[in-house]
Amino acid sequence: MVTTTKAAAKRAKAKNEYNAFLAVCPSRQLLDRISDKWVVLILCALGGDAAGDPGSPGVARPMRYSEISRVLAGVSQKMLTQTLRSLERDGLLTRTVTPTVPVTVSYELTPLGLSLYGLTHGMRHWAQEHMPEVLSHRDSYDARGEHAG
């Protein structure tokens, strides 16, 4: 019981010490990972966004590798595999292998992944909703030519 209390106290202290503005903080590496476009899109796909209304959160469900690959147009096999492995390592999704012929591999969000999904869904929705405005600002900026030098 004492070990558990000490471990819990240590985790609580460490939680208060994380500061992503510091170069050595491990939370900065996590921010780098979760801000990647493929991470956002994988979490959204597993969260159910690919099946429904782009503005409404979907219903999370397991997906096979091939399903995820089809939904994420343009992702290479290497990038998808690396990203899925890193998300599994961080505890955001689980990989389940079913011994069938051929072997079936599926991925599903964990409770930790589901807690992040809400944020990634919002980011994806914001990007899609505001893209015309962003494109207009880019055109105006580029037309001014003030960005050189």
Side-chain angles (χ1 to χ4, degrees):
M1 184 82 141
V2 174
T3 305
T4 305
T5 305
K6 286 182 181 179
K10 188 175 179 180
R11 282 192 306 272
K13 182 181 179 200
K15 187 175 181 180
N16 290 331
E17 292 175 359
Y18 290 131
N19 180 349
F21 288 105
L22 301 175
V24 296
C25 185
S27 66
R28 185 180 278 197
Q29 293 172 336
L30 182 58
L31 278 174
D32 183 49
R33 168 145 320 129
I34 65 176
S35 64
D36 176 77
K37 70 179 174 188
W38 297 122
V39 168
V40 170
L41 294 173
I42 288 169
L43 292 176
C44 286
L46 291 171
D49 285 7
D53 174 19
S56 301
V59 176
R61 68 177 184 85
M63 292 177 75
R64 293 177 65 174
Y65 182 95
S66 59
E67 289 179 274
I68 299 169
S69 181
R70 278 193 299 274
V71 169
L72 274 62
V75 67
S76 69
Q77 182 177 351
K78 179 182 177 183
M79 181 55 65
L80 180 56
T81 299
Q82 286 176 347
T83 305
L84 289 168
R85 284 182 183 156
S86 70
L87 292 172
E88 182 182 13
R89 181 175 183 246
D90 287 342
L92 298 173
L93 59 79
T94 57
R95 177 180 184 265
T96 303
V97 178
T98 306
T100 57
V101 178
V103 172
T104 303
V105 179
S106 63
Y107 298 88
E108 186 172 13
L109 293 177
T110 63
L112 185 61
L114 281 168
S115 71
L116 181 57
Y117 160 71
L119 297 171
T120 60
H121 168 80
M123 288 188 344
R124 184 187 64 82
H125 177 66
W126 185 92
Q128 291 175 187
E129 185 75 19
H130 292 88
M131 199 64 226
E133 186 177 356
V134 170
L135 290 173
S136 176
H137 284 284
R138 286 179 183 175
D139 289 343
S140 295
Y141 180 86
D142 292 346
R144 288 193 313 261
E146 298 172 5
H147 52 281

